[in-house]
Amino acid sequence: MSQPGFTGFWRDFAPVFDSLVPPSTVERGFPEALRSLAGKSDPLVLDLACGTGRHTIPLLEAGIEVHSWDIDEPSLHTLRARAAERGLSASTRSVDFLSEEPAAPHDGFDVVMSLGSTIIMMDPAAQAQWLTRMAQMTAPGGTVIVDTHHRPFVEALHAGGPRRELAIGSHQDHPVNAQAEWSPAVDRWTLTYRYRSGGVERTAVELATIRTESAILRMAADAGLVPDRSFADWSTFDSAPDARSMTYVFHTAPIPIGEAHVHP
């Protein structure tokens, strides 16, 4: 199964996104927060749908081993270049995570994370498969982390009606605007971005599936994941009812003591 709308949108919009939300905005304490969630000082991390490396780079700088996978090779090229500028080496792989079956390390990754609200770019069936595949790549007792747009924020934004005009920010000294349309009956939020890039007027359409928290937790349970916490702020792990996005942390089941293999 491919990722509906994912590659086309990001191929067009990735440079604009980096202007709107610069990679430097990732919290300075992100590596330590990740170590805390993983319960390990040296977790083996899979950064899934890593993009241009906004989360990979801080982890590499903190000495954490990261494998960075994405479906978009140009984004991986940018990631490797950004890492090289800092004297770092990035382990990258171009992969369609939903249609291919890449192998995990023998014991699995300690942390499998998919940040940047990647999961919203899929239909419900693909979202469920994404979480299941993430769980399969994770070591027993390991940590799975995903974030998504917060549905209450979207609902509040559209309290006055299903269509809104939004001022998003700027790219190359020109405004980025969007027409937003919310269809709650099918969990669909459509954002049509209008921006100027390279002197040309362009558009990019984001087809987002915004699930309720209960639906997200049901998908995770079906994938065999156990909920740990959810939060809006990586620096404090605090939540907020009006947060734009939420991060969900899950764990895979540990190996029962009687089934653990002890090597001499």
Side-chain angles (χ1 to χ4, degrees):
M1 180 185 294
S2 63
Q3 300 158 32
F6 183 84
T7 52
F9 172 74
W10 280 112
R11 186 172 295 117
D12 294 338
F13 204 67
V16 184
F17 183 77
D18 280 348
S19 293
L20 297 171
V21 189
S24 59
T25 60
V26 174
E27 287 88 343
R28 189 176 300 275
F30 173 68
E32 288 309 311
L34 189 74
R35 285 182 168 120
S36 174
L37 294 174
K40 288 189 171 186
S41 61
D42 58 347
L44 177 61
V45 177
L46 172 59
D47 186 1
L48 184 59
C50 60
T52 58
R54 66 179 52 242
H55 297 99
T56 288
I57 298 296
L59 296 181
L60 290 176
E61 290 178 327
I64 295 174
E65 182 178 353
V66 189
H67 293 246
S68 306
W69 295 359
D70 199 282
I71 196 171
D72 186 50
E73 178 56 40
S75 291
L76 293 175
H77 176 79
T78 300
L79 188 161
R80 291 189 294 268
R82 290 184 58 218
E85 289 172 356
R86 294 162 172 78
L88 304 168
S89 177
S91 173
T92 64
R93 180 172 180 175
S94 179
V95 60
D96 184 337
F97 192 59
L98 292 182
S99 64
E100 301 177 36
E101 295 186 0
H106 175 67
D107 294 325
F109 292 97
D110 297 312
V111 177
V112 176
M113 63 183 194
S114 179
L115 302 177
S117 295
T118 301
I119 199 168
I120 69 171
M121 299 294 293
M122 308 169 200
D123 61 31
Q127 288 181 339
Q129 186 183 0
W130 189 266
L131 281 175
T132 297
R133 296 294 301 279
M134 290 180 73
Q136 292 168 345
M137 301 294 289
T138 307
T143 304
V144 171
I145 307 173
V146 296
D147 64 4
T148 180
H149 290 348
H150 196 204
R151 183 166 174 135
F153 169 78
V154 177
E155 291 173 337
L157 191 67
H158 288 274
R163 292 180 178 84
R164 286 285 308 272
E165 287 289 334
L166 306 176
I168 305 299
S170 65
H171 172 65
Q172 296 181 355
D173 296 323
H174 293 280
V176 178
N177 300 307
Q179 181 184 73
E181 183 169 352
W182 174 228
S183 303
V186 292
D187 302 328
R188 173 55 55 88
W189 196 32
T190 304
L191 295 167
T192 303
Y193 294 94
R194 302 182 302 275
Y195 59 97
R196 190 174 181 86
S197 184
V200 178
E201 297 293 336
R202 303 179 187 274
T203 61
V205 180
E206 177 181 353
L207 301 175
T209 303
I210 312 296
R211 311 296 298 279
T212 63
E213 182 170 282
S214 60
I216 293 169
L217 295 177
R218 282 196 303 271
M219 284 194 301
D222 290 343
L225 295 170
V226 179
D228 179 342
R229 69 184 78 184
S230 61
F231 55 85
D233 188 331
W234 273 87
S235 62
T236 62
F237 295 147
D238 288 338
S239 186
D242 59 347
R244 295 191 176 197
S245 65
M246 290 291 289
T247 299
Y248 294 88
V249 181
F250 305 96
H251 293 294
T252 54
I255 297 177
I257 292 177
E259 298 179 14
H261 297 284
V262 178
H263 300 282

